[in-house]
Amino acid sequence: MLNKPYRSPSTSSFLDNLRLSRLQSLLRRGELGLVVLAAIVGVIAGLLVALVSFLSNGLHWLVFGVEGTLSGSNITGHIVLLGPIIGGVLLGVIFFVLSKTRKKPMIDPIEANALHGGRLSLTDSIIVCVQNIISNGFGASVGLEAGYTQIASGAASKLGLKLKLRRGDLRLMVGCGAAGAIAAAFDAPLTGAFYAIELIIGSYTVLSLTPVIVSALVASLVANQISEHGLVFEIATADNIMPVDYVPAIVLGIVCAGVGILLMQAVSFIEETARKSAIAQPFRPFIGGFIVGLLGLVSPQVLSGGHGALHLNMNAQSSIWMLLMLFLLKSFASAISIGSGFRGGLFFASLFMGALIGKIFAFGVPFFHGVSVDPGIYAVVGMSAFAAAVIGGPMTMTFLALELTGDFPITALVLAAVITTSLVVRVSFGYSFATWRFHLRGESIRSAHDVGWVRDLTVGKMMRADMRTAKVGIGLEAFRKEFPLGSTQRVIMTHDDGRYAGIVLVPEIYADPMERSGENLTLERFLRYQKDVLLPTMNVKQAAALFDSTQSDALVVVNDRIENRPAGLLTESHTLRRYSEELDQRRREASGEF
């Protein structure tokens, strides 16, 4: 038997690095490498979605004794009240532990792609996903879609970071993870792909389309091999849709926009009220769980995400008062769940509530002359329009309707409604649910468009530290000896205690006589931009705006406003050049030019 050749640890490490370098080169070489990587992400996403669904369904069976969907069951008794309370207690314990161990806020895929170049913590993603499983599994009125996208995007980001992908490619992989998660959850690859394009990546390009669709297709196939996922609606066909039928669909879109804005503001109001109250964060889910449990005693359809309840109500014959009561209960339960600290999203809850709005709206359709569309069709239109108002992504919701119904005429009505909804929300409110929450936290982002590079390109990174300085009290004669004409263009002047005093332009010193009509000139006369300074934390856009307002070619960077000590110098020409270079880099990444 031949002995294997001995390899030292340093040799093994070198070979491992060489293999990784070759793999990185393959992925950087072109689109084909990214497609292969997207397929891998799709497999991971499909497996994770199946795992999260299994764990949540397991909690439904363990806690409530329900097999299948919790919201579609006829469960009654004290456990309906106790389930959300127990979940709230568990979440409170997790919040307490996290408050002692983690100080940084956990970010979601939209924020990661908008501000952090696709960098998403896998550990934080696992924590968020566990919180979502507990929330949904114990009956809180939230869906699992937030957990699906968080864990799948976190895994994709981790894989991209290990392979040291470029910023644009890393953002694309996060989008592929989200696309795979939604596609696997709904068995709807086109929905998953456009969810990633509209909400996670923030823009459509030819380069991003193929990897995102591949990831969505693969994830959907993998999830279907493990368990049944998705929604399929059997509703009346709409082959005879007339132009007049678009009028109520557009009106329904306007109604969904208004109600969606009210729901988003209600969630924010509850969160703000809880934050301003004397109730500590670990105790808020307990109170929220108690309220949700009470609502569940009225109707178990408000519990969990609402998959079963949506199927129950899609084709059922219910009175307008029953539908209205169920909508109010579900919207209140969802707002309380999110506002009190339960983790989850409003994706599926908004689908369920939108379907209820559509069926309620159908009772008024006879007032539109010549319209005779089935109420189930308006349920689909309302479902898509309301979700477009809350979640955003009009094309995402249009493709969801197409993949759930397989009916193109219905999809045309849905498209008219969601475009109307999207327009009304943008004009009158300006935010989706995710971006509205960013706004409340003080963030200015309104989509997943990559604006993080602007924040990364700070004055501290662009400034030069090798500046020429002198004390104000040096005197003109000594200044002329130390800084001859042509030696430097400008000198940073400081007071005796080191604080910034202003900038002196050397040519101006030599352009003026040292004495004029018996007047003794001092350096203070030549000081410029005494109050106009930059800070190291300012970004490139803020610096460019200050250069424009001061009409200066260069400004001093001080360490902070209090000490006011010079830390460097930044010129307008260098700022604009770096800004232009970064803009060109983003353009090349978007178009696939490397």
Side-chain angles (χ1 to χ4, degrees), residues 180-199:
I182 296 299
F186 291 96
D187 191 19
L190 288 176
T191 301
F194 277 86
Y195 178 90
I197 290 172
E198 289 187 301
L199 301 177

Side-chain angles (χ1 to χ4, degrees), residues 339-373:
S340 62
F342 282 98
R343 278 285 187 173
L346 289 176
F347 193 122
F348 204 92
S350 65
L351 295 178
F352 177 35
M353 287 185 281
L356 294 175
I357 293 175
K359 298 207 71 172
I360 294 171
F361 182 81
F363 282 91
V365 169
F367 291 100
F368 294 91
H369 180 70
V371 176
S372 59
V373 177

Side-chain angles (χ1 to χ4, degrees), residues 468-484 491-496 501-502 504 506 509-510 514 521-527:
R468 303 291 297 274
T469 62
K471 298 288 180 64
V472 176
I474 189 176
L476 275 173
E477 188 64 33
F479 184 92
R480 288 165 63 94
K481 290 180 179 179
E482 185 172 350
F483 302 104
V491 178
I492 313 304
M493 307 304 294
T494 62
H495 296 289
D496 292 338
V504 169
V506 175
I509 297 292
Y510 288 88
M514 292 186 60
L521 299 180
T522 62
L523 281 173
E524 281 82 354
R525 180 183 179 277
F526 299 94
L527 291 179

Side-chain angles (χ1 to χ4, degrees), residues 223-224 226-230:
N224 279 331
I226 300 174
S227 60
E228 291 186 2
H229 285 76

Side-chain angles (χ1 to χ4, degrees), residues 425-442:
V425 171
R426 265 199 327 271
V427 172
S428 61
F429 190 61
Y431 300 92
S432 66
F433 180 63
T435 54
W436 172 240
R437 290 162 71 86
F438 294 148
H439 168 73
L440 294 178
R441 282 166 34 194

Side-chain angles (χ1 to χ4, degrees), residues 129-142:
C129 188
V130 170
Q131 291 175 326
N132 194 184
I133 293 171
I134 292 174
S135 301
N136 181 276
F138 282 87
S141 189
V142 294

Side-chain angles (χ1 to χ4, degrees), residues 126-246:
I126 293 173
I127 293 173
V128 170
C129 188
V130 170
Q131 291 175 326
N132 194 184
I133 293 171
I134 292 174
S135 301
N136 181 276
F138 282 87
S141 189
V142 294
L144 285 171
E145 291 74 22
Y148 293 151
T149 55
Q150 184 79 37
I151 190 66
S153 298
S157 179
K158 185 70 173 180
L159 179 61
L161 289 171
K162 286 290 185 182
L163 295 174
K164 298 181 180 179
L165 296 183
R166 285 181 286 250
R167 183 188 185 95
D169 295 339
L170 186 59
R171 294 180 72 253
L172 179 59
M173 286 303 105
V174 171
C176 288
I182 296 299
F186 291 96
D187 191 19
L190 288 176
T191 301
F194 277 86
Y195 178 90
I197 290 172
E198 289 187 301
L199 301 177
I200 307 299
I201 300 174
S203 61
Y204 164 81
T205 64
V206 176
L207 176 68
S208 63
L209 182 62
T210 303
V212 167
I213 289 182
V214 167
S215 178
L217 286 170
V218 171
S220 183
L221 291 173
V222 169
N224 279 331
Q225 295 302 312
I226 300 174
S227 60
E228 291 186 2
H229 285 76
L231 298 169
V232 177
F233 297 139
E234 295 182 2
I235 58 177
T237 58
D239 296 330
N240 58 341
I241 286 182
M242 303 296 291
V244 69
D245 295 320
Y246 286 89

Side-chain angles (χ1 to χ4, degrees), residues 526-553:
F526 299 94
L527 291 179
R528 288 172 169 260
Y529 315 114
Q530 295 168 269
K531 302 295 184 181
D532 301 316
V533 293
L534 297 167
L535 297 175
T537 55
M538 287 181 174
N539 62 49
V540 63
K541 294 185 80 171
Q542 293 171 324
L546 190 57
F547 279 121
D548 184 60
S549 64
T550 60
Q551 298 295 311
S552 172
D553 295 331

